[in-house]
Amino acid sequence: MNWGLWKYDLPLVCGMLFDEDLLTHRTGLLACLSDGQGEWWLEVGPVTVLGGPDLNDLVRWCGIWADHWFSNLPPWNIRARLRDAGCPGPVMDTIAGTWSLGMRARRTLLQGMRRKVWLTALLELSDGDASDVFRVARRIAESGYRYAKIKTRGCRSESAVDLLRGIRKTLGPFCQVRVDFNASWSPDSVAEVICGALLPEQGLAPVMYLEDPLPPGGQADSALWPVPLALDTRAFLNQLIAPAICSRVQWGVWKPFVSWPVRFQMLQQGWSVTVSSACESGVGTAALAALALYGNIAPGAGLGSYQWLREDVLARRLPVADRPWADLRDLLVVSQSVVTDRLSLVQSG
């Protein structure tokens, strides 16, 4: 039995904002395990952007986990070794959780399990040519998506009202939309868009929730929230919303590779939970689809950030574009076609 930790550094299609950092590349960490059942690749969190640890520290801690995991030490014993090595509790929980997810994905594939995983389309608004936005919306509708996520950060509120109404009309009443404000607008702008474009209306796509609607500390009249609210992982962990608004939240958007344990904290709040990617490689993105097997996870996996990768570590890209669902087994098979020439070996044992 042996293992290796491999770093990836993948170019994005353009500069992307991760929290407040504008990045042109996405870095991450993969583990390759070899044992009597063969070779298996898995992605290990947490993400080193979005407030995650330094990559060198993550490599060191994941090496400790891998080495002792292969020695069949009980998890509590491995955690003690990580604590001794200075690994913070939340990072330790996320390493353990994402490792466990990767191993569960392996068992799912070895068992030959097939499962239809419903996907969420991703649509990003822009102040550019509106025809481009509506062309994407028509493609989403024609493909039969049941769920779509609309990110508004690249658009002014004055433009967003007409765009959102038009998108909801194009998608129709059988596709639920999740609107992500990315905490980037003023309360007045958010209120304007809600009243002008997001209220329930017959014939338009229903709004499932509004994600991160206000900037940190932003206040607004609670009467302005006729649509359920959602907080994503970072906003929840950093308490980037006023308590009065937090009391109106019904959904948590869980990014497992940012924080694994936040899911349990969201469930303790009584929220429903959806899964969202954080631009992981194809290895991690396919593993996220396996969360459809978990209980208490809403359908419609948010894997859309995968399209932000200009290149992947895989020989061919995951089949998650332009289709409302994917076969979990197909995703896991493709996720193991890793091209090591696109990686750097950083530790082995």
Side-chain angles (χ1 to χ4, degrees), residues 72-304:
N72 292 317
L73 286 183
W76 64 266
N77 200 320
I78 304 178
R79 287 172 178 268
R81 306 293 177 93
L82 286 174
R83 278 194 296 272
D84 291 343
C87 183
V91 173
M92 186 189 315
D93 290 340
T94 301
I95 291 172
T98 53
W99 189 283
S100 175
L101 174 62
M103 299 311 295
R104 179 164 184 168
R106 183 188 200 188
R107 291 193 297 272
T108 299
L109 184 58
L110 290 175
Q111 292 166 2
M113 186 182 299
R114 305 198 80 98
R115 174 71 177 266
K116 179 182 287 189
V117 179
W118 290 100
L119 304 175
T120 297
L122 181 62
L123 197 160
E124 300 177 77
L125 298 191
S126 168
D127 283 327
D129 189 352
S131 63
D132 291 337
V133 173
F134 291 125
R135 183 174 65 252
V136 175
R138 285 193 296 272
R139 189 182 73 233
I140 291 171
E142 291 165 359
S143 298
Y145 277 92
R146 296 181 180 182
Y147 311 95
K149 183 170 185 174
I150 306 170
K151 296 180 74 68
T152 68
R153 177 152 48 187
C155 183
R156 293 170 300 172
S157 58
E158 311 90 82
S159 307
V161 170
D162 290 338
L163 289 174
L164 286 168
R165 283 190 60 83
I167 290 168
R168 291 179 65 197
K169 183 175 181 180
T170 300
L171 295 179
F174 301 109
C175 179
Q176 293 183 327
V177 297
R178 308 165 181 182
V179 182
D180 185 2
F181 288 99
N182 285 117
S184 59
W185 288 2
S186 70
D188 287 344
S189 295
V190 172
E192 175 188 350
V193 172
I194 291 173
C195 295
L198 299 179
L199 296 179
E201 188 171 336
Q202 187 174 5
L204 303 187
V207 179
M208 188 173 179
Y209 57 67
L210 310 179
E211 181 179 340
D212 295 347
L214 295 178
Q219 299 280 359
D221 188 340
S222 61
L224 292 176
W225 307 114
V227 179
L229 304 184
L231 288 185
D232 81 350
T233 295
R234 283 280 292 157
F236 177 70
L237 290 176
N238 292 287
Q239 300 180 339
L240 299 180
I241 194 166
I245 301 302
C246 193
S247 66
R248 306 296 296 266
V249 174
Q250 299 179 30
W251 288 87
V253 181
W254 178 35
K255 291 181 169 65
F257 284 94
V258 175
S259 171
W260 186 268
V262 77
R263 172 200 175 202
F264 306 105
Q265 299 170 42
M266 289 174 168
L267 290 173
Q268 287 173 351
Q269 298 288 327
W271 301 349
S272 300
V273 175
T274 64
V275 169
S276 182
S277 59
C279 202
E280 291 81 14
S281 75
V283 176
T285 301
L288 288 176
L291 289 172
L293 302 175
Y294 281 42
N296 298 319
I297 299 295
L303 308 183

Side-chain angles (χ1 to χ4, degrees), residues 4-25:
L5 296 177
W6 299 74
K7 173 188 172 183
Y8 67 76
D9 186 11
L10 300 173
L12 305 178
V13 294
C14 62
M16 292 287 178
L17 278 172
F18 286 77
D19 200 11
E20 298 302 319
D21 297 324
L22 182 63
L23 303 179
T24 59
H25 284 70

Side-chain angles (χ1 to χ4, degrees), residues 3 5 29 54-66 81-82 84-87 95 346-347:
W3 55 270
L5 296 177
L29 193 64
D54 176 80
L55 183 64
N56 291 329
D57 286 334
L58 183 60
V59 169
R60 180 165 54 89
W61 294 326
C62 288
I64 293 171
W65 181 275
R81 306 293 177 93
L82 286 174
D84 291 343
C87 183
I95 291 172
V346 290
Q347 193 173 342

